[in-house]
Amino acid sequence: RLSREPFSAGPDPDFLWLSEKHAAAFESLKKGILEREGCVLLTGDIGTGKTTLIQHLARLGGVAVAFVAIHDTGMTRLDFCNSLAVEFGLKRRFERRESFYANFKNVLLGKCSAYKKVLVVIDEAQRLNPEIIGEALELAGLELAGRNPLKVVFVGQPGVSELLKQEEGRGGFKAIAARCDLKPFTRQETGRYLEHRLKVAGRDAPLFTEDAVKEVHALSKGYPRLINIVCDHALLYGFGSGLNEIDGRVVRECSRDLTVALDLDDAPAQDGRLSSSGETAAVPDPPPPVQPARSWRPFLYIAAAVRWGRRAWRSSR
């Protein structure tokens, strides 16, 4: 009784689940963007849902969003400007920053004049170097027609906070209008998260037992991205066994594949929460990057199909 895939590993704002503290964080970010001066900071370990939350913010009325990902710690100011040029539809590469800003201002006055705010989201901001931070500050201070149309949003792992604090110490950093730090879900939140995603996908009846939720949380450590991967694999195993619900045994059965494919032993085992206070909470070092184990999926689909075929053949005899 599912009309769509409930546990896709990619970010999808349609499936966004806001716990009480997530909702408070969202409101804090929204207020920082629309009502306050300064930059906005969103941090969290890999897989805690930063991109999904930002995409949800992008749906705010009167807001346009451009994303710039920092892939190289050696990015120059001109590289940054040319990345912005691509995002804002400037179909040329600039050799001088002055030329970029002359064209960029025209775009803001034209295409973007209808928006209350234009967000420049700097993703993977923990890779920023002082040069690019300086460029981002110039961008945040840009004034057109007597107003400041741009809001810079820094998104990255917890280490980005220290980078920005260093700039604050030099006296050149604009005040942070709002900051939020995303943390993994607790076990109770994991259960509600599963219920929400299944409902969005078209199923109202429970599908995961309490024992299964406990196993999912233990395996994923409460990280939404890992929860999705665990549950997606569990559904494949359950389908292969012809089950109508997923219990702890099913999750444990597929855990061996997940442990190898996802290196889950390296994920931090902490009881996660989300903080929307003005202070940046102390957090452990982020886990190593975790990518969905897509290489396992074809084998799991084949295994599920074979097991289902055997059951069907036996039933027909």
Side-chain angles (χ1 to χ4, degrees), residues 150-169:
L150 286 173
K151 178 72 68 173
V152 174
V153 181
F154 295 99
V155 180
Q157 296 174 38
V160 69
S161 299
E162 292 303 317
L163 289 176
L164 300 184
K165 281 181 180 179
Q166 292 173 15
E167 294 302 315
E168 283 181 301

Side-chain angles (χ1 to χ4, degrees), residues 61 100 182 237:
F100 163 75
L182 296 179
Y237 273 77

Side-chain angles (χ1 to χ4, degrees), residues 122-294:
I122 301 178
D123 201 8
E124 302 295 341
Q126 72 278 357
R127 298 174 181 163
L128 285 168
N129 59 54
E131 189 175 343
I132 302 304
I133 293 177
E135 193 66 36
L137 296 181
E138 284 194 31
L139 197 66
L142 195 64
E143 288 192 7
L144 293 172
R147 73 187 187 99
N148 189 325
L150 286 173
K151 178 72 68 173
V152 174
V153 181
F154 295 99
V155 180
Q157 296 174 38
V160 69
S161 299
E162 292 303 317
L163 289 176
L164 300 184
K165 281 181 180 179
Q166 292 173 15
E167 294 302 315
E168 283 181 301
R170 298 187 181 104
F173 191 78
K174 288 180 74 74
I176 295 291
R179 67 179 75 200
C180 295
D181 186 41
L182 296 179
K183 297 292 179 66
F185 295 141
T186 63
R187 196 178 87 176
Q188 291 72 23
E189 289 168 338
T190 297
R192 294 197 291 272
Y193 175 77
L194 299 189
E195 291 175 1
H196 169 78
R197 292 192 72 102
L198 288 167
K199 188 171 184 178
V200 172
R203 181 183 174 107
D204 290 320
L207 182 57
F208 288 78
T209 67
E210 285 297 320
D211 185 43
V213 173
K214 179 181 177 181
E215 293 292 336
V216 168
H217 182 263
L219 198 58
S220 68
K221 303 297 187 289
Y223 284 80
R225 184 183 299 176
L226 296 186
I227 291 172
N228 290 351
I229 295 172
V230 171
C231 291
D232 188 48
H233 282 66
L235 287 180
L236 286 174
Y237 273 77
F239 171 75
S241 300
L243 302 177
N244 290 317
E245 69 174 9
I246 303 299
D247 58 18
R249 179 189 59 80
V250 175
V251 178
R252 288 189 293 271
E253 186 178 339
C254 70
S255 65
R256 288 170 296 177
D257 294 341
L258 290 167
T259 301
V260 173
L262 303 177
D263 197 18
L264 293 177
D265 289 338
D266 289 338
Q270 59 185 24
D271 188 9
R273 294 286 182 173
L274 177 143
S275 171
S276 58
S277 64
E279 297 298 324
T280 303
V283 294
D285 291 335
V290 176
Q291 299 298 328
R294 290 297 175 191

